[in-house]
Amino acid sequence: MTYQRNQKLAQNIVHYSTKVKPGDVVFIHARGRETLELAEAVLNETLLAGGVPYMHIEDDRHLRRLLLGGTEATFQALGAILLAEMKQAQCYVAIRGQDNVFELADVPKEKLELYDK
């Protein structure tokens, strides 16, 4: 059932929400392991529409380590890379979820704000 639901949602995202055209680069930004099935469905639907899918996958365990050890300069450099990637795309699809809602609980608020900025 989950697969069919993700297929239908992917079709809506690709054909209705983003209106992917042949040759469009679609930046698929997935965060959380439970989002991967939907991200793969969006990738497949993008290919069927003639688009070029680009997957960017984040995991909260790795993000936690980055947030705890990173500095403002780290986050600025990563932001510049992400911006350059996004500028190559005609469509952006963000799929967010969390495997463990407490994964980032020990990250100082200041670090989260720097990263989000």
Side-chain angles (χ1 to χ4, degrees), residues 38-96:
L38 176 56
E40 183 178 357
V42 172
L43 179 144
N44 289 334
E45 200 61 37
T46 297
L47 289 169
L48 291 173
V52 180
Y54 173 71
M55 295 286 289
H56 182 98
I57 300 171
E58 291 182 4
D59 182 88
D60 281 346
R61 290 178 310 145
H62 303 126
L63 180 58
R64 178 183 171 275
R65 180 65 193 107
L66 175 67
L67 290 169
L68 290 173
T71 65
E72 185 172 1
T74 303
F75 304 143
Q76 286 176 350
L78 292 174
I81 292 168
L82 191 57
L83 179 61
E85 290 176 324
M86 287 180 171
K87 284 184 175 184
Q88 299 299 312
Q90 286 70 49
C91 305
Y92 177 78
V93 177
I95 305 168
R96 302 283 189 261

Side-chain angles (χ1 to χ4, degrees), residues 2-20 24-30 35-56 91-96:
T2 302
Y3 177 78
Q4 290 176 337
R5 188 171 44 231
N6 282 332
Q7 282 301 116
K8 181 65 176 168
L9 183 53
Q11 289 170 353
N12 288 338
I13 289 168
V14 171
H15 299 289
Y16 178 75
S17 298
T18 59
K19 294 179 176 61
V20 174
D24 281 354
V25 174
V26 180
F27 189 116
I28 305 165
H29 192 170
T35 66
L36 296 181
E37 186 178 304
L38 176 56
E40 183 178 357
V42 172
L43 179 144
N44 289 334
E45 200 61 37
T46 297
L47 289 169
L48 291 173
V52 180
Y54 173 71
M55 295 286 289
H56 182 98
C91 305
Y92 177 78
V93 177
I95 305 168
R96 302 283 189 261

